Amino acid sequence: MHIFAKTHPGLGCRTSRRSWGTVHIGLTSAATAAVLLAGGLAQPTLAAGNDETRVAWGYYYPNGNGGCENGCFSNKGVAGISHIGTGLYEIEASNFYVPGPSDLQISSQGFAGPANCVTSGWSFSDDYYLEAYVNCYDLSGNPADASFSFLYQSRDEPFGSADKGIAFLLADQPTEASYTPNLDYQYNSTSATNTMVRNGAGSYTASIPGLTKKGGNVQVTAYGNGPARCATSGWSASQTGTSVNIFCFDSTGAAADEKFTLAYTIGEPLGLFSGRRLGDSGAYAWANKAQRREKYAPPRAYNYDGFKTGSLSVKRAQTGVYSVSIPGNLNGPYAPAELVTADGASNDFCSTGDISEFWNPFWVYCYDQNGNPADSKFSVLLQTEQITK
């Protein structure tokens, strides 16, 4: 949960902002991070009625250089990543506190082998710095260094319409039969309130009222201090809104009640913010033909190209390995974030591919519980700031 405090417990008083990529011996485990996220001190307030959207995204390589390799993006300040322990990372972004709800999505990068990355929460320091935590694990559930992409957003104003918008929530009561997720961590661009239902062990349905058009994109990230995984098992629209089904698993692959963050977007890039320089710099697709060998275009309702160059296409390169292409010569100068969520009732999981300034096409790697390549449906999303054609 959010903390608004002058010092980090266990780290002492900070007199200067640290250099990203350095290792901090004062915080060396996910358990310590949990202590930081357990507080609930008063938050500052800003004037109501202002659009104070904050978004940040980027990716991390554990190659000794630290930081975000080619840099992270923030729409209001500077962002970076620190490696603070085995499998434990801190994302920071300056000038990022707003009183509106916020969300964090994480995807591991699987080109070097299967890994699982989750978020253990986010907080704010007294100088408006976002401090978000990522925990990564190997197949056995042990902390392990890994590469990952992230996308953070905070919003405080409605926008869009019934067929074009964004919603997110933190499902933090995994054993409750039904509940309304914490209003401090949920958002709906139609001003409606999202709700949750538990269907059984590890099985949930999120209701997103107001967004009634068929299609869009779903991303899910497990939340907590353990190696859980969550995926979508489909979503559908009705006259009242969109329903999203979620399955969660523990490190053994068994269905398990777990906390998670969920983000949904339709007709917009997930990292949408006012004042963006080159329009809708994002794209998404639902890859719904896991074993098809020929290149295909995902269904139009689930196929969004904010660059307006045409429909995305998906091609299976080999078992569990897929390329996703956006038409046109779209690349750099800034590397994007790529998010992916497996789609289905099994405990298969998917990771993103290698990300650099040459990101089109981008890649998805899917695995079974044992880390073997496995064909899977998936929901994939790309977000970037600028493009060159």
Side-chain angles (χ1 to χ4, degrees):
M1 297 299 180
H2 292 185
I3 303 172
F4 187 69
K6 293 185 177 181
T7 62
H8 285 292
L11 288 180
C13 184
R14 274 187 320 200
T15 58
S16 63
R17 183 61 50 189
R18 57 181 164 274
S19 298
W20 289 307
T22 58
V23 177
H24 301 283
I25 60 174
L27 180 60
T28 58
S29 70
T32 308
V35 173
L36 298 185
L37 303 174
L41 302 181
Q43 299 177 355
T45 58
L46 301 179
N50 295 324
D51 181 7
E52 292 289 346
T53 298
R54 299 286 193 272
V55 295
W57 60 78
Y59 68 96
Y60 181 88
Y61 274 138
N63 62 356
N65 293 330
C68 288
E69 187 72 9
N70 293 330
C72 293
F73 171 79
S74 156
N75 75 320
K76 290 293 184 179
V78 178
I81 300 175
S82 293
H83 178 228
I84 52 179
T86 301
L88 180 61
Y89 304 87
E90 181 181 355
I91 302 165
E92 287 192 335
S94 61
N95 188 32
F96 245 61
Y97 179 77
V98 295
S102 51
D103 176 75
L104 179 64
Q105 296 297 321
I106 306 291
S107 286
S108 64
Q109 293 182 11
F111 63 95
N116 177 36
C117 296
V118 308
T119 177
S120 56
W122 51 98
S123 64
F124 293 92
S125 68
D126 58 346
D127 48 1
Y128 297 130
Y129 262 76
L130 167 72
E131 296 167 341
Y133 299 95
V134 179
N135 297 353
C136 295
Y137 304 91
D138 62 20
L139 282 176
S140 299
N142 302 309
D145 291 341
S147 53
F148 60 89
S149 288
F150 77 92
L151 192 156
Y152 170 90
Q153 60 181 304
S154 180
R155 304 180 184 277
D156 69 340
E157 293 291 335
F159 73 92
S161 62
D163 58 4
K164 193 174 183 180
I166 291 172
F168 55 76
L169 59 87
L170 168 60
D172 60 351
Q173 301 178 50
T175 61
E176 287 294 315
S178 62
Y179 66 99
T180 298
N182 191 323
L183 298 181
D184 290 337
Y185 302 91
Q186 72 149 285
Y187 171 83
N188 186 314
S189 58
T190 70
S191 296
T193 300
N194 310 313
T195 57
M196 287 294 307
V197 171
R198 179 181 182 272
N199 305 309
S203 175
Y204 307 93
T205 298
S207 295
I208 304 172
L211 293 174
T212 58
K213 186 177 180 180
K214 175 183 177 181
N217 187 270
V218 170
Q219 296 299 323
V220 184
T221 298
Y223 176 99
N225 296 299
R229 289 200 304 266
C230 296
T232 178
S233 58
W235 62 100
S236 60
S238 69
Q239 293 181 344
T240 59
T242 294
S243 296
V244 182
N245 296 317
I246 303 100
F247 281 125
C248 292
F249 308 92
D250 62 20
S251 61
T252 71
D257 293 329
E258 303 286 355
K259 300 177 183 179
F260 58 88
T261 63
L262 179 150
Y264 173 77
T265 185
I266 185 166
E268 297 284 9
L270 188 59
L272 176 72
F273 63 94
S274 59
R276 58 195 187 280
R277 282 185 261 180
L278 291 178
D280 296 349
S281 298
Y284 61 71
W286 173 43
N288 65 326
K289 298 178 180 179
Q291 296 182 321
R292 180 165 178 171
R293 296 180 182 274
E294 299 82 12
K295 181 185 290 188
Y296 70 95
R300 180 175 299 179
Y302 306 88
N303 191 329
Y304 170 77
D305 173 19
F307 308 109
K308 296 178 172 47
T309 57
S311 297
L312 278 66
S313 61
V314 178
K315 181 174 176 56
R316 178 184 179 273
Q318 61 190 61
T319 302
V321 180
Y322 305 87
S323 65
V324 183
S325 299
I326 306 172
N329 183 25
L330 304 177
N331 275 300
Y334 299 109
E338 181 190 342
L339 301 174
V340 63
T341 294
D343 175 26
S346 74
N347 55 15
D348 292 349
F349 63 101
C350 298
S351 299
T352 70
D354 186 6
I355 298 176
S356 70
E357 62 269 28
F358 304 106
W359 45 259
N360 187 27
F362 50 103
W363 294 81
V364 171
Y365 295 77
C366 296
Y367 304 94
D368 65 18
Q369 172 61 28
N370 297 317
N372 302 308
D375 292 331
S376 175
K377 296 187 293 183
F378 57 86
S379 179
V380 66
L381 181 146
L382 181 134
Q383 179 73 49
T384 188
E385 177 199 8
Q386 285 188 338
I387 59 171
T388 57
K389 298 183 180 180

